Amino acid sequence: LYIFFDLTIICSFILITFGGDRYSYKGSIKYLILGTLASMFFLLAIGFIYAETGLLNLEALQYSIPLIDTQMQIIIFTMLLAAIGIKSAIIPFHTWLVDAHSTAPIPISALLSGIIVKAGVYLFLRIHSFNFDIPNMKEVILFLGAITAVGGVIYALIQWDIKKITASHTISQIGIIFIGIGTFSAIGITGGILHLVNHAFFKALLFLCAG
C-alpha cells in the first residue's frame, strides 16, 4: 500500500509538468514537496506500527492496534491522518491542489481531480478498520471534513479562472466524502464511497468541459 501510495505522488508530479510553463513547474514542485511529506508521515506510521505489533498485515492489525498504548495510538493515527490529509487536500493541507490541478493540461487535470486525489481517501478506507481506540477521534475527523467541505466552496467562490474554480470545488467534495466515512457507520461509509465514485465521474467531466 505504501509503495503504490508513493508511486501516485511520483507519477502525478511528472504529469503536472506536462503544462510546460513556469506555473505548472511551480505547481508540480509544490505537489512533490508536500507529497513527499505525506509519504514520510505514512512510512513513519508504518514503522511505529511494526515496532509495537511486529505486524504489517492489514487484516491482522485490526485486532492488534487496539492493544497498543493509547498515547502511541494517537501518535500513529496523527501521522496517518497527516498523510491522508496532505494527499487528499484536507484543510489545512489543501494549498497544493489548486496550483497543481489548474496548471496541468486539461486531460491530466481531469485524471488528477477525478482519480488520483482519491488515493488518500482509499488509504483512509483501508486504515479505518484498524479499530483505533482514541477519545474524540470521530469528532476530529468530522470537524476536519466539515471545515474542508465549507472552506473548499468559499475558496471556489473567490476564484475567477474556471479551472481554479473546478479544482477548489474538489476540496469541498473531498470534505463531504470524509464526513461520510468519518461517521464510521455502515450508511455513512456507503454514502462516502458512493460520492467518491460519483465525484470521480462528474469532476473529470467538468474539467473536460472547462477545456
Side-chain angles (χ1 to χ4, degrees), residues 106-115 118 162-163 166 169-170 197-211:
I106 286 290
I108 293 170
S109 295
L111 178 68
L112 292 172
S113 205
I115 299 173
K118 308 300 190 303
I162 190 168
K163 287 182 71 178
T166 311
H169 186 254
T170 295
V197 176
N198 174 48
H199 181 261
F201 281 102
F202 87 70
K203 188 50 61 76
L205 288 170
L206 277 173
F207 266 110
L208 294 175
C209 289

Side-chain angles (χ1 to χ4, degrees), residues 8-70:
T8 62
I9 296 168
I10 297 167
C11 294
S12 299
F13 163 72
I14 295 169
L15 289 171
I16 295 166
T17 62
F18 277 28
D21 55 39
R22 66 187 182 92
Y23 297 107
S24 60
Y25 294 146
K26 180 182 175 182
S28 63
I29 290 296
K30 184 184 286 188
Y31 176 81
L32 182 63
I33 291 170
L34 288 173
T36 303
L37 192 63
S39 181
M40 182 192 72
F41 280 126
F42 190 11
L43 188 59
L44 282 171
I46 292 171
F48 279 117
I49 288 170
Y50 188 74
E52 292 292 324
T53 65
L55 297 169
L56 292 176
N57 182 280
L58 290 174
E59 187 176 356
L61 284 172
Q62 64 181 309
Y63 305 106
S64 301
I65 292 289
L67 302 177
I68 300 175
D69 178 69
T70 302

Side-chain angles (χ1 to χ4, degrees), residues 27 66 71 74 79 88 110 115 140 144 149 172 192 203:
Q71 188 173 359
I74 292 172
M79 288 183 177
S88 295
I115 299 173
V140 169
L144 289 173
S172 172
K203 188 50 61 76

Side-chain angles (χ1 to χ4, degrees), residues 189-199:
I189 293 171
T190 302
I193 294 172
L194 175 64
H195 193 52
L196 186 149
V197 176
N198 174 48
H199 181 261

Side-chain angles (χ1 to χ4, degrees), residues 118-175:
K118 308 300 190 303
V121 181
Y122 176 73
L123 175 60
F124 187 34
L125 285 167
R126 294 301 299 269
I127 69 161
H128 101 278
S129 62
F130 283 2
N131 299 319
F132 283 102
D133 185 19
I134 300 173
N136 302 318
M137 182 180 70
K138 184 193 293 186
E139 287 77 8
V140 169
I141 294 170
L142 291 176
F143 175 76
L144 289 173
I147 290 293
T148 302
V150 176
V153 169
I154 294 171
Y155 196 53
L157 288 171
I158 64 174
Q159 304 293 337
W160 290 96
D161 180 83
I162 190 168
K163 287 182 71 178
K164 288 186 176 182
I165 293 170
T166 311
S168 301
H169 186 254
T170 295
I171 298 171
S172 172
Q173 299 305 295
I174 292 295

